[in-house]
Amino acid sequence: MARIPQRAYRSAELCLWHGGEFSQRVKMASNIAAVVLVVVCAAGFASAACDCKDAPDINAGNCTVKIRVCGCLHHFPPKLQYQGTATETHSGKSAKSDWHSSDKGAGEQAVLQLFDSVLGPGTCNCQTYPYKLGNCTLKFDVCFMFNDTTTLEDKKISYRAWCTDAAHNRQGYVEKYADPMNAATASAKALVAKYPDEPKVCGLGQSHRAWTPARLEHDVEALLARRSQARP
């Protein structure tokens, strides 16, 4: 019987070793590919599996708000969640909710965010009132809003207001007032509280009667009443 050279044994050992390593690498690559495939498929499935519907419009004052809610298989593993978008038709401004477990909650949060954070002076839910004080012209912007989901469902509005001295880059702001006149008056008080020298800047004495609470409330009330009567 012919003797097998030692070199042949060594070649066989190397072949078996490299073959085992190659097998392990193939197995590892297959596992990685499978994981990547699952993740990609799941992500594609989750992003594609959305069902969007329009909710009834909300008509409040001069505002018309369209609501669209999408239910999507969100995250991994896929879980059905909802996201709402509320769009005010006149300005085109919109707000988007976070992800919610219910379509109702998503739609309501979108509407609340629209009125609380997006719509403001110059939009459908606001009125502007100029107010002459000394050599300053203050501008009151009074806007309606909804405090929470309960007031939204009940269609019970509240008000927020800005009192702005644009010439001196000053502003007072308040929110969640039941009465627009009270909101406007409070915004003026907030301006003075933040900038105590405002009367002096406007050419008035620090104790001028226009800045007493009673006088300020009287002027703001008369101002809002005149604008209301002039409105068609």
Side-chain angles (χ1 to χ4, degrees):
M1 182 178 178
R3 185 177 178 183
I4 300 175
Q6 186 68 25
R7 188 168 51 188
Y9 279 117
R10 179 61 179 164
S11 297
E13 288 174 356
L14 288 173
C15 182
L16 288 173
W17 187 85
H18 284 296
E21 182 184 39
F22 178 74
S23 176
Q24 289 295 325
R25 288 181 178 178
V26 168
K27 185 177 180 181
M28 182 180 297
S30 299
N31 290 340
I32 293 173
V35 170
V36 171
L37 182 62
V38 168
V39 171
V40 170
C41 289
F45 176 72
S47 62
C50 290
D51 181 25
C52 299
K53 294 181 179 179
D54 293 325
D57 293 353
I58 290 180
N59 295 295
N62 295 323
C63 302
T64 299
V65 178
K66 292 189 173 295
I67 307 167
R68 188 167 181 79
V69 178
C70 294
C72 304
L73 289 174
H74 191 59
H75 299 305
F76 183 77
K79 179 182 179 181
L80 185 60
Q81 291 190 310
Y82 299 88
Q83 188 173 55
T85 302
T87 304
E88 197 282 306
T89 58
H90 299 291
S91 65
K93 293 185 176 183
S94 64
K96 187 172 288 188
S97 74
D98 298 325
W99 290 99
H100 284 256
S101 58
S102 72
D103 54 349
K104 182 173 180 289
E108 288 177 339
Q109 190 197 26
V111 173
L112 290 176
Q113 287 193 183
L114 179 67
F115 282 98
D116 289 356
S117 306
V118 179
L119 299 182
T123 56
C124 62
N125 61 321
C126 300
Q127 293 290 330
T128 299
Y129 310 91
Y131 176 63
K132 188 70 176 176
L133 180 70
N135 55 25
C136 295
T137 298
L138 304 183
K139 182 169 71 84
F140 289 97
D141 290 291
V142 182
C143 307
F144 71 79
M145 59 180 290
F146 299 96
N147 291 350
D148 48 39
T149 55
T150 301
T151 55
L152 177 61
E153 291 174 357
D154 296 340
K155 296 182 179 179
K156 184 178 179 181
I157 61 176
S158 61
Y159 297 89
R160 56 181 179 155
W162 295 257
C163 180
T164 306
D165 179 358
H168 300 101
N169 195 28
R170 296 177 168 186
Q171 189 176 76
Y173 171 77
V174 295
E175 63 180 23
K176 298 183 178 180
Y177 277 73
D179 182 80
M181 189 272 287
N182 291 340
T185 303
S187 70
K189 292 178 180 178
L191 173 68
V192 179
K194 191 174 180 180
Y195 304 102
D197 66 337
E198 181 69 12
K200 186 177 180 180
V201 168
C202 293
L204 303 174
Q206 200 67 14
S207 60
H208 192 274
R209 64 188 181 89
W211 285 97
T212 63
R215 180 66 186 180
L216 184 59
E217 289 173 13
H218 174 272
D219 287 352
V220 172
E221 185 175 8
L223 178 65
L224 268 64
R226 287 197 301 270
R227 289 297 300 270
S228 298
Q229 292 169 3
R231 209 175 299 154

